[in-house]
Amino acid sequence: MNEKNVPVGVSARHIHLTEEHIAILFGSGYELNVLKPLSQPGQFAAEETVAVIGPKGRFDKVRILGPARKASQLEISKTDSFQLGVRPPVRESGSIDNTPGITIQGPAGEVVLERGVIVAARHIHFHTKEAAEWGIEDKQLLRVRVQGERPLVFEDVIARVSDQFALDMHIDTDEANAAGVASGDTAVILDK
Amino acid sequence: MNEKNVPVGVSARHIHLTEEHIAILFGSGYELNVLKPLSQPGQFAAEETVAVIGPKGRFDKVRILGPARKASQLEISKTDSFQLGVRPPVRESGSIDNTPGITIQGPAGEVVLERGVIVAARHIHFHTKEAAEWGIEDKQLLRVRVQGERPLVFEDVIARVSDQFALDMHIDTDEANAAGVASGDTAVILDK
């Protein structure tokens, strides 16, 4: 039997910014510099970082992920959320209605984001071809076993299928630490 | 069918101290004051806190849990460990051979602990009577489902059985945040 093995990618806190916010934070016409490409085609970690400031605390050097998006969005762990003093819901990327805001500081200016702070819902990116081979549909909720130092089975792992995606399971640092795994470890989809 | 329901108790970072270390940190003959009793009979959160300092960072106000023990032990999450700059293993309480040390500061003095920093292995305390009714043995590894905002199944949950224990599942903040649960929520043992 072929196991449905998926590489694990651990997302530390990071931020996506609009072109407009990049201009405010770094200066008009500023373009992000690529530090390294990410697992999803076209996505990259930028050299640039910003500070984010909540009611109870701040994080300096929050990594920007590029390219620019239509809405700015800060993705943090629940642990981070207590330190900042915000209460973001667990959401899919891009789903930012009724989420808390945050203050963002860059070298050239400050943005008071009215909404956009989320804890990212764990998910797996599938290329259309793999999803078809494995019988997995977009939006399907999966059970996924992670055999780390602290083995566990994540439930409600959202399948996201696109011909623009590369196979990768995205979890946050709380989830990685609870399982005792790191980026590059392997998870196994338990659904038949 | 009766479900084996267990209340969840989330352990934030905390420290257990010896009488000798309490004397150094707070002064000779000092006795800890009870802030509130814990779920396990005789155990309590003390009013007193200490600072702990690692190679990369520090935490002020780490809660002391009493009463005094035979060996001092700092229990932190993996998230905490990165902030302090130490690499503690996942261990059962009391199992501190080959664990990193830490510096502890109190109002009256400082202790350089040579070993004793652990990430606590998740476990369930059972009273002997419940364990017998449910057919669970001391040291047994259990599968436990937590139905929080982010449902998951913890594996390798250690059963600890004693007539001195009260039923409670202890997980750390990374595990609680990964599952989206808090103290007082309910977990279900899946083993028959």
Side-chain angles (χ1 to χ4, degrees), chain A residues 78-80 82-83 88-90 119-122 143 145-147 149-156 172-180, chain B residues 78-80 82-83 88-90 119-122 143 145-147 149-156 172-180:
Chain A
K78 276 188 182 276
T79 298
D80 291 340
F82 296 119
Q83 203 165 326
V90 177
V119 173
R122 51 199 176 223
R143 294 171 62 243
R145 185 159 190 274
V146 183
Q147 173 66 57
E149 187 183 12
R150 314 167 97 180
L152 55 74
V153 176
F154 289 118
E155 301 184 350
D156 289 6
D172 71 15
T173 48
D174 285 340
E175 293 170 322
N177 290 335
Chain B
K78 277 189 183 276
T79 297
D80 291 340
F82 296 119
Q83 204 165 327
V90 177
V119 173
R122 52 197 174 224
R143 294 172 61 244
R145 185 157 191 276
V146 183
Q147 173 66 57
E149 187 182 12
R150 315 167 97 180
L152 55 74
V153 176
F154 289 119
E155 300 184 351
D156 289 7
D172 71 15
T173 49
D174 286 339
E175 294 170 320
N177 290 335

Side-chain angles (χ1 to χ4, degrees), chain A residues 51-66:
Chain A
V52 298
I53 299 114
K56 288 180 68 177
R58 62 184 289 147
F59 291 114
D60 296 313
K61 298 190 181 178
V62 173
R63 183 71 52 194
I64 301 171
L65 301 192

Side-chain angles (χ1 to χ4, degrees), chain A residues 86-146:
Chain A
V86 291
R87 284 299 186 105
V90 177
R91 287 284 180 85
E92 282 192 81
S93 185
S95 173
I96 58 169
D97 284 350
N98 299 310
T99 58
I102 201 85
T103 297
I104 311 168
Q105 284 179 349
E110 181 176 294
V111 170
V112 178
L113 203 64
E114 287 189 7
R115 58 179 190 166
V117 182
I118 66 168
V119 173
R122 51 199 176 223
H123 58 275
I124 299 178
H125 293 270
F126 296 90
H127 190 274
T128 315
K129 204 176 159 210
E130 277 145 3
E133 277 173 12
W134 287 352
I136 287 166
E137 293 180 6
D138 192 43
K139 305 287 183 196
Q140 187 176 342
L141 298 181
L142 302 169
R143 294 171 62 243
V144 182
R145 185 159 190 274
V146 183

Side-chain angles (χ1 to χ4, degrees), chain B residues 156-168:
Chain B
D156 289 7
V157 180
I158 305 167
R160 297 180 57 192
V161 179
S162 161
D163 58 8
Q164 302 299 308
F165 287 161
L167 186 66
D168 208 17

